[in-house]
Amino acid sequence: MKKFRKVLDGLTTSPGTIGSPTCGSAASTPTAAPTPREIDVQEMLVSENFQICKTVRHGFPYQPTALAFDPVQKIVAIGTRTGGIRILGRPGVDCYCQHESGAAVLQLQFLINEGALVTACADDTLHLWNLRQRRPAVLHSLKFNRERITFCHLPFQSKWLYVGTERGNTHIVNIESFILSGYVIMWNKAIELATKTHPGPVVHLSDSPKDEGKLLIGFESGTVVQWDLRVKKADFRIYYDEAIHSVSWHHEGKQFMCSHSDGSLTMWNLRNTTKPFQITFPHGKVGKDGRKESCKPILKVEYKTSRNSSEPFIIFSGGLSYDKAGRRPTLTIMHGKAITVLEMDHPIVEFMVLCETPYNNEIQEPYAVVVLLEKDFIVVDLTQSNFPIFENPYPMDIHESPVTCTAYFADCPPDIIPILYSIGAKNKKTGYSQKEWPVSGGTWTLGSQTYPEIIITGHADGSIKFWDASAITLQMLYKLKTSKVFEKPKPSEGRAADLAEEDPFAVQMVSWCPHSRVFCVVGISAHVILYRFSKYDGNTQIVSLDLRLQGDGEDPVSPSETENNPCFSDPSCHSPQHPPASPGCGTPDGAKDSNQCLKVKSRPVRMPPGYQAELVVQLLWVDGEPPQQITSLDVNSAYGLLAFGNCNGLAVVDYIQKSILLCMSTLDLYGAADPYQRLTRSPRKNRQSTSDSKKRIRTSYQSLTELTDNQVSMDMERSKSPTSVPYPTSIHNDPRILPEPVASLRASHYSPVFYLLDNVKGPGRKLSLPTDLKTDLDHVNGHCTSPTSQPCSAGKPRLPVGPEGPRLTRRGPGRPPFRKAQSAACMEISLPVSHTEGYASRRAMLQQLHGVSMYSHDEHHTTSYCWTERESRENSFSRSRSSSVSSIDRDTKEAVTTLQFGESYGRKNDALPSPCLWVGTSLGVALLIPISIPTDHEERLEEALTVGPSGGVLMLKGSILRFASLDCGGSLIQSPYEVWRDPNAPEDPDRPRRRKLVNFSPSSSQEACGDGHLAVVCSEKQAKVFLMPSQTCLFVHNITESSFVLRADVVSVCNSICLACFCANGHVMTLSLPSLRPLMDVNYLPLTDMRIARTFCFTNGGQALYLSSPTEVQRITYSQEMCDNLQEMLGELFTPIETPEAQNRGFLKGFFGGNAQNVDREELFGEAAAGKASRSLAQHIPGPAGMEGMKAAAGGVVGDLARARIALDERGQRLGELEERTALMMTSAETFSKHAHELMLKCKDKKWYQL
């Protein structure tokens, strides 16, 4: 706990005060300025309250490669191309593991019912994972040096793992010690000596159900060998013309089935292995000419028997004929004469048949099929004739449409989740299997640290999903489709035809008030939709408002247009007496060129319960030019106002009266308080063609959804995404940036929720990046510098005039002028190979990459166009020493980057707080706009509001990211809100409905220090705390010098608040409030990519999330308390379950050789019999714990289980021997009794002398 006091004279400070009376501190030292009154704040948070760690990962495993199932524990494991493992059990049991190497997972093998998992990776390494802990860890690793792993097989209840390689050899690994055995089956010994060709890699290994001492080896070329492990020679060899993909045994071990590359299935009997006794082409038909259709390979086949039917189940993937183009991937189920073909939406990666027994020599009794697709995970019920699928309890459909934005809300009102769930449940799909989900392993209990949490995801198709994220689980509550507000675009319409093939409804950002249940959505077509929540059906007429939010510098308005379309350029124009018509659409004749991107439904729309659209605001196309993307949004239910902005200006809408209050450019918002000097704008350049604008407005999300986690990794051998965006050659060849592991990517800070815009595809485009993604790759002096960049048109730069002195900025060589329609998506670019050395070449390259000229508020340039090395080393925030004053072109674009409604003091001389709108811009300016709102309910419905953009102006370095208000005691002041009331509820004449407002006014939350409050403003470079209404800067902290902040939020942690920041260099930082004292700085994500940068968001309770892949959401915590309780919250993967006993096959089957023959593998593969393997063949690597890991492994789960099993076997053997001895004793006793009885009868009637 620390106490901070500031005194008027600023000369003396208490022991808890930090800094000096200046505002230009270094990055690590917050400073204090003199304050007009004494402030006493007790800060509760200390560094010990913070620790960062991953909690849980949700969604579908990205780029899956392997599948495994434990039939006793009933858990499933999925491996991915990036080295990840997802282990799933019952709902709540969901664990994510990651191989340090990042190599693709080729195969997974459970140690059935032993709590362990073996993984084979693409770097030819085997790993043994311990699953008996909530966070699985690697116990052993074995790296093959000279051979590549192709297939692995671990028999049930065996400690010896068979490993097939690309050279055709088969090695054997001891699972307990993870050391190679000296027993090797060489390929040239397995095949006949007369064979001249190599059989190819090993594609199958399995032990015979009839005899464990017989190993079936399948080679890719079509050769199958049964190897006798005891005598070390082949029992038989099969040579087939077609390549083999998989082999499956009949449970009796007398026959097996193979799938081949020509789409055929062959059945082989061990009595006659010269040829198959059955060859079938399940999907191959004979044509009229007598020739069979050529079919695709059958990649896998499963041959399972059932007790209730004499006919086996034959299940396989692939095998369709080639001539049927457009056929989707299929899974075929053959049961007797019935053939069922299940079409899948995505390619099949792997499937497994789930059976009742883990023993391969018993009747299998299949009951389900787990199918792993490229982008889905389904389970088919085999017990019903129509083969329905089970309802998936996991959130595997996050990526149903690509995610374009995220929002995270913790500690929501407790009633919101049940209401959303009850409404969403009405729209659930039907037709699922009625049986319980078969993957039901593990245990999970609701932890004590639980509170309502909701995650919102916006998608490219315009849909929005609400997810219940309470207690580290994820379950979909409700789905909203924003496209239903609009008419379907007709291909015949010109502009709609251009957008039809793209995603015109893609969600760009969202704003949600959980208390009032007002929901606002911004779309990619520059539209805003406002929703109100209702539990009843509604027949609503959607109100549509159109406006022009175009910069005056680019779009001069003719006098005729001005008369009909007010632009509110004059402060008097903000009064309510003006008509509420939207600019640019007052009359059709006044704006003939103004067109909508989308057409709102004009008829009344029947809306189901849930979120119902009430208002749509659209920015118009003007003179064939598309509107700029909306970059910021905020909605306040207490005020009934909606505000949004873009790089041209700001608009404020009264959604209660359905009118536009304010629509003006960013430059006009300053009024007389403009901190910049501006010259008249330069002559306007000719417009670009409409066709070019149409091309540039298009947006593609595919590159986002296909991006790999490490975009710049050059070692993408087996895990590279085919559509990942490469970096330019000139960057990789620059020797100055080779030491930096990755080029930091600068995401857009234009919204509370980062919107995801990606590159446009097209011919001749080498690389495309979103123009709103401001990128800088300056790695001079070993660090990455990303100055605050802003697109502007050709002309002179503008100069901020402030107390710290003026500074001159010029557009450097190679900086093209701003192109208007670029912000909607991405542009066509070709990266030149620059031979100019120094900071200038990379900077110029980046500006050409963006297609914009960048104005920097945070970097130092000389007046010359020649960029020197000295400039590149200059601190990016140092001011120019020149005292000359430069002017700035009015054509400069200054984007509105963040907005927030709240109670504050609009002007320095205000005595009482009033409703205000905080406006943050990309040039580091924070504006305060007071709003006059009637307090009476009736007046609010009828009287127009007054907006006066003449409030205070605050300055920071870098784009403004976040605002927050604190009272003088350091507590967070929430924005006021309206208590939710159902707009469609039946009217009660006795109790008329009135608006009930909850207001958190600064004056009501403080008594000791009188009126006033603290304003926290955070930009991408620094944070400041101001005292309102005097606007005195109390604290300033430069967050980073070498990078920039991507996301910042004021959040509650441990019953206190702090400022949480996520930087482009991967650092997660927290600062105390109000003193801005650093509490935590962790290099969490050093290789930041665009996806993470644009989806990272903080929330209360010390939690955060980001999109770790196109299909997965990663949740993290930076709270020490939650890290301590995390083990309690996670599910247990392993549950002690007794292994089912093998069936007693009876006397007759055993007499005629039906029982499986056991083999002592230890005697065959142990060091005493087989010797030691070559040290150069494989390298043993202990687990992360080193020798402790080895000891834990030796005396841990596998060793203990093996010893326990041996002890049980020995005990059973002794009991059996005792039982046999007891039976012999009983037999001898019975014999003795019989003989005694006979002797007694014989001697019964005889006299003693007759004996």
Side-chain angles (χ1 to χ4, degrees), residues 185-193 227 233-234 237:
I185 305 174
M186 304 299 292
W187 67 270
N188 54 355
K189 299 290 182 64
I191 64 173
E192 291 181 337
L193 297 177
W227 184 264
K233 69 174 184 179
R237 299 178 178 91

Side-chain angles (χ1 to χ4, degrees), residues 31-50:
T31 59
T35 64
R37 61 170 56 86
E38 182 179 298
I39 297 178
D40 188 0
V41 178
Q42 291 184 345
E43 295 187 354
M44 308 298 295
L45 293 177
V46 293
S47 299
E48 288 72 20
N49 294 125
F50 296 93

Side-chain angles (χ1 to χ4, degrees), residues 564-729:
N564 294 326
N565 307 314
C567 289
F568 304 107
S569 58
D570 192 288
S572 63
C573 294
H574 313 314
S575 62
Q577 285 76 23
H578 286 267
S582 60
C585 63
T587 60
D589 298 334
K592 296 180 180 179
D593 303 350
S594 299
N595 295 309
Q596 300 173 339
C597 295
L598 300 170
K599 185 177 181 182
V600 181
K601 291 180 179 179
S602 57
R603 63 186 183 279
V605 180
R606 185 70 177 176
M607 298 184 184
Y611 275 103
Q612 300 170 355
E614 184 177 288
L615 175 67
V616 177
V617 183
Q618 289 194 84
L619 301 183
L620 300 175
W621 285 59
V622 179
D623 298 333
E625 292 272 343
Q628 295 283 6
Q629 289 299 302
I630 295 172
T631 57
S632 55
L633 170 73
D634 194 33
V635 61
N636 188 278
S637 57
Y639 304 156
L641 296 180
L642 164 69
F644 61 92
N646 63 7
C647 66
N648 287 325
L650 170 69
V652 180
V653 178
D654 183 350
Y655 68 78
I656 295 179
Q657 300 183 20
K658 309 297 188 296
S659 62
I660 298 175
L661 298 180
L662 179 72
C663 178
M664 64 166 48
S665 68
T666 315
L667 305 183
D668 294 332
L669 289 175
Y670 293 105
D674 190 353
Y676 301 101
Q677 292 183 356
R678 310 175 194 272
L679 292 179
T680 57
R681 66 178 186 271
S682 57
R684 179 170 176 166
K685 297 183 181 294
N686 294 331
R687 290 190 182 275
Q688 296 182 353
S689 66
T690 304
S691 60
D692 292 339
S693 300
K694 293 178 182 178
K695 291 179 181 178
R696 295 197 307 272
I697 190 63
R698 297 183 179 178
T699 304
S700 171
Y701 295 93
Q702 185 166 1
S703 67
L704 171 73
T705 61
E706 299 298 332
L707 281 174
T708 56
D709 288 317
N710 184 1
Q711 298 183 63
V712 297
S713 174
M714 301 302 293
D715 183 16
M716 307 293 284
E717 245 183 296
R718 303 188 186 182
S719 59
K720 182 176 181 180
S721 171
T723 55
S724 59
V725 180
Y727 272 76
T729 307

Side-chain angles (χ1 to χ4, degrees), residues 163-181:
V163 181
T165 66
E166 194 175 32
R167 294 186 179 181
N169 302 325
T170 302
H171 301 275
I172 301 170
V173 179
N174 186 307
I175 290 297
E176 293 182 358
S177 61
F178 237 57
I179 297 176
L180 269 180
S181 167

Side-chain angles (χ1 to χ4, degrees), residues 428-440:
K428 279 193 173 183
K429 297 179 181 179
T430 58
Y432 293 109
S433 173
Q434 299 302 315
K435 295 193 174 183
E436 292 185 0
W437 179 252
V439 185
S440 56

Side-chain angles (χ1 to χ4, degrees), residues 118 206 284 303 377 385 601 1008 1181:
V118 175
S206 63
Y303 186 23
F377 178 77
S385 57
K601 291 180 179 179
I1181 305 171

Side-chain angles (χ1 to χ4, degrees), residues 61-359:
Y62 183 54
Q63 295 180 333
T65 55
L67 177 69
F69 180 74
D70 188 325
V72 179
Q73 289 291 320
K74 295 190 181 301
I75 57 176
V76 69
I78 300 173
T80 69
R81 191 177 297 179
T82 56
I85 307 171
R86 285 284 291 280
I87 305 173
L88 305 170
R90 67 175 65 249
V93 179
D94 187 341
C95 180
Y96 174 77
C97 313
Q98 176 68 44
H99 291 92
E100 292 184 0
S101 64
V105 178
L106 299 180
Q107 196 173 352
L108 299 166
Q109 286 279 330
F110 275 108
L111 276 67
I112 296 176
N113 202 29
E114 295 190 8
L117 176 70
V118 175
T119 59
C121 295
D123 60 351
D124 306 309
T125 305
L126 298 174
H127 303 274
L128 177 64
W129 292 81
N130 178 14
L131 305 184
R132 293 203 172 200
Q133 54 194 53
R134 302 200 182 202
R135 292 275 191 179
V138 174
L139 294 176
H140 294 283
S141 298
L142 187 66
K143 169 72 173 176
F144 281 75
N145 297 322
R146 296 184 297 182
E147 298 191 53
R148 311 213 69 177
I149 300 172
T150 56
F151 195 87
C152 297
H153 171 64
L154 180 65
F156 179 45
Q157 294 183 329
S158 171
K159 68 174 183 180
W160 297 95
L161 174 71
Y162 302 111
V163 181
T165 66
E166 194 175 32
R167 294 186 179 181
N169 302 325
T170 302
H171 301 275
I172 301 170
V173 179
N174 186 307
I175 290 297
E176 293 182 358
S177 61
F178 237 57
I179 297 176
L180 269 180
S181 167
Y183 194 113
V184 183
I185 305 174
M186 304 299 292
W187 67 270
N188 54 355
K189 299 290 182 64
I191 64 173
E192 291 181 337
L193 297 177
T195 306
K196 297 181 180 180
T197 58
H198 191 279
V202 175
V203 296
H204 177 81
L205 291 169
S206 63
D207 52 336
S208 170
K210 189 176 180 180
D211 187 355
E212 294 179 354
K214 305 293 179 67
L215 181 67
L216 194 70
I217 307 172
F219 298 93
E220 189 180 53
S221 63
T223 302
V224 180
V225 176
Q226 180 167 289
W227 184 264
D228 191 326
L229 296 170
R230 301 181 186 89
V231 300
K232 299 184 180 181
K233 69 174 184 179
D235 285 347
F236 62 83
R237 299 178 178 91
I238 293 174
Y239 298 97
Y240 195 68
D241 295 336
E242 295 295 334
I244 290 177
H245 285 279
S246 69
V247 181
S248 183
W249 278 99
H250 188 277
H251 79 275
E252 293 180 349
K254 297 178 181 179
Q255 58 188 23
F256 59 88
M257 178 180 290
C258 300
S259 67
H260 300 277
S261 58
D262 62 347
S264 65
L265 296 173
T266 57
M267 290 281 292
W268 301 82
N269 197 306
L270 298 189
R271 294 181 180 178
N272 182 14
T273 58
T274 56
K275 63 178 181 179
F277 71 88
Q278 183 180 350
I279 302 176
T280 58
F281 287 83
H283 296 299
K285 297 180 180 179
V286 180
K288 295 181 180 180
D289 55 356
R291 299 178 60 184
K292 287 187 178 181
E293 296 177 332
S294 58
C295 297
K296 299 176 183 178
I298 296 179
L299 301 178
K300 184 177 181 180
V301 64
E302 293 267 17
Y303 186 23
K304 301 299 180 182
T305 53
S306 176
R307 186 175 291 105
N308 300 327
S309 173
S310 58
E311 298 291 342
F313 280 92
I314 300 174
I315 304 171
F316 61 89
S317 60
L320 293 179
S321 58
Y322 279 104
D323 59 351
K324 294 180 180 178
R327 287 287 296 271
R328 293 190 291 181
T330 61
L331 182 76
T332 305
I333 302 174
M334 299 174 61
H335 189 211
K337 295 183 179 180
I339 300 178
T340 304
V341 179
L342 306 178
E343 289 191 341
M344 304 295 170
D345 294 331
H346 309 284
I348 297 175
V349 176
E350 177 71 282
F351 76 89
M352 292 191 70
V353 179
L354 309 188
C355 301
E356 296 287 353
T357 176
Y359 297 94

